[in-house]
Amino acid sequence: IDQEGYNYLSTDYLAHLEGKEGKHRVDMDYATFDLTNVEDSEANYQQSMILIARVSGALLDYAIMDKTAMQMYVTKETFLDLRELFSEQELAALHEQKRLIYVREEESTEEVPVAIDITSIDFVQDNIDTKQNIYFAVSGSTPRPEMARYTWDYLHAWESEE
């Protein structure tokens, strides 16, 4: 996402939160993690450690990432089981659209939905320069799952405007 897109997102998202119940603290972090730069393994390591620290320190509510990053970090422990945040009907619709990413429970055949493909959303199309699919996932350690849900509702509203 470029700086202009980030500035718009910050302002528009804060307007979206007006009227939501409770008090909300929003810390938007304009951080780009390039975790796939094979030419600079030291930079990859540093960025991976920052991401891991944010997840383990409960400082990350959600992540928007490309397919490569998703494949590197997708585990049930890293990301929240989306059944905790979405209704059965919402998940069924996303499943039918083939937009859910699943992980398999250890020692089980059950697949757990942990991410949503958001590539088709207009905001993503207009502001994220990538040739890969883009995913939305909720941090498994977030103490504020409602903030992740508000963000999903915000992103989904872009989709509904078509």
Side-chain angles (χ1 to χ4, degrees):
I1 187 168
D2 61 21
Q3 186 65 48
E4 182 180 331
Y6 175 76
N7 291 342
Y8 178 81
L9 176 63
S10 299
T11 304
D12 197 51
Y13 181 67
L14 291 174
H16 173 76
L17 286 178
E18 283 187 28
K20 302 287 185 202
E21 282 189 35
K23 294 181 181 178
H24 306 290
R25 177 180 169 189
V26 178
D27 294 321
M28 296 190 100
D29 187 2
Y30 179 60
T32 301
F33 294 97
D34 181 2
L35 303 172
T36 59
N37 183 356
V38 293
E39 296 171 7
D40 190 351
S41 60
E42 185 176 332
N44 284 359
Y45 177 76
Q46 290 171 347
Q47 291 182 4
S48 292
M49 291 300 100
I50 291 169
L51 180 61
I52 290 167
R54 287 181 180 183
V55 171
S56 63
L59 300 172
L60 182 72
D61 293 327
Y62 62 89
I64 295 175
M65 66 195 92
D66 65 19
K67 185 176 182 175
T68 302
M70 173 60 69
Q71 289 173 334
M72 290 173 69
Y73 292 98
V74 67
T75 67
K76 184 181 167 294
E77 292 75 33
T78 305
F79 299 121
L80 185 72
D81 179 342
L82 294 179
R83 295 175 295 189
E84 296 180 30
L85 206 56
F86 292 86
S87 70
E88 287 182 33
Q89 295 82 9
E90 290 171 313
L91 290 173
L94 290 165
H95 175 80
E96 187 175 301
Q97 297 166 5
K98 301 187 182 330
R99 293 180 58 195
L100 289 176
I101 301 298
Y102 295 88
V103 295
R104 191 174 306 277
E105 291 269 2
E106 284 188 35
E107 302 177 19
S108 171
T109 58
E110 182 181 25
E111 291 190 320
V112 176
V114 295
I116 303 169
D117 186 330
I118 60 171
T119 309
S120 64
I121 293 175
D122 287 344
F123 182 84
V124 173
Q125 292 286 315
D126 295 344
N127 294 287
I128 298 178
D129 182 25
T130 182
K131 293 176 179 42
Q132 297 185 46
N133 285 15
I134 303 297
Y135 300 93
F136 173 84
V138 179
S139 174
S141 66
T142 181
R144 300 164 297 275
E146 72 281 356
M147 292 305 291
R149 180 56 204 230
Y150 293 154
T151 301
W152 166 255
D153 292 342
Y154 171 79
L155 290 169
H156 188 62
W158 279 86
E159 194 170 47
S160 301
E161 291 177 359
E162 295 175 353

